[in-house]
Amino acid sequence: MTRTNDIILRTTTTLIAFILLGFSAYLFFAGHNAPGGGFIGGLMTSAAIVLMYMAYGIKSMEKILPINFRHIIPVGLLIAALTGIGGLLFDQPFLTQTFAYFQLPVLGKTELATALLFDLGVYLAVVGVTMTIILTIANDRGEEEGV
């Protein structure tokens, strides 16, 4: 099988993936005060990774990003569940969230919330599930075509 000259796709993918990952980080951190959060941030991250898989191919991406996305799913679910259980340790209802302001060296006065930890769990679970589904479909399709 011959590959087409996809230099334009690869060049633009680098820029677009960088923009998507930056926007994903923005959505993730804005999520507990504004629209966004772990779910849409995870989808945006998955979109950037899928774009890179499309531009560079599965074999190249597995060398660059040697992650088994199936292992990310339980880690995300565990973080989300432990965040919810955290409220029970302080005689509060399940999934109770709290926040406080901290003076951080570079960022100054910053709000840190337990909702961010829950969003991290959702983010990891969404990236894991989305990438597992897409890569499973891609691998099945490759086997059918004899690639």
Side-chain angles (χ1 to χ4, degrees), residues 12 27 38-39 43 50-51 59 70 73 99 105 123 128:
T12 57
L27 289 172
F39 185 79
L43 287 178
V50 166
L51 181 62
K59 299 224 186 281
R70 289 183 179 163
I73 300 168
F99 66 93
Y123 175 89

Side-chain angles (χ1 to χ4, degrees), residues 75-126:
V75 171
L77 292 175
L78 183 66
I79 291 171
L82 290 176
T83 303
I85 293 171
L88 297 175
L89 297 175
F90 297 100
D91 293 326
Q92 298 294 318
F94 182 71
L95 283 177
T96 298
Q97 73 105 18
T98 188
F99 66 93
Y101 291 95
F102 296 93
Q103 189 69 27
L104 299 177
V106 175
L107 301 174
K109 187 175 181 181
T110 305
E111 176 190 25
L112 297 177
T114 57
L116 188 66
L117 290 174
F118 180 77
D119 278 343
L120 176 63
V122 172
Y123 175 89
L124 292 174
V126 168

Side-chain angles (χ1 to χ4, degrees), residues 51-67:
L51 181 62
M52 290 188 290
Y53 267 94
M54 289 172 55
Y56 296 104
I58 291 177
K59 299 224 186 281
S60 296
M61 282 302 294
E62 285 176 348
K63 291 177 185 172
I64 296 168
L65 197 63
I67 296 173

Side-chain angles (χ1 to χ4, degrees), residues 4-39:
T4 60
N5 188 358
D6 50 0
I7 188 75
I8 295 173
L9 175 63
R10 289 183 180 193
T11 303
T12 57
T13 292
T14 304
L15 176 65
I16 293 170
F18 180 75
I19 292 169
L20 285 173
L21 290 171
F23 189 55
S24 171
Y26 167 75
L27 289 172
F28 174 75
F29 287 112
H32 64 282
N33 288 329
F39 185 79

Side-chain angles (χ1 to χ4, degrees), residues 117-141:
L117 290 174
F118 180 77
D119 278 343
L120 176 63
V122 172
Y123 175 89
L124 292 174
V126 168
V127 169
V129 167
T130 306
M131 291 307 302
T132 298
I133 291 171
I134 291 172
L135 291 177
T136 300
I137 292 170
N139 286 333
D140 286 347
R141 190 172 163 116

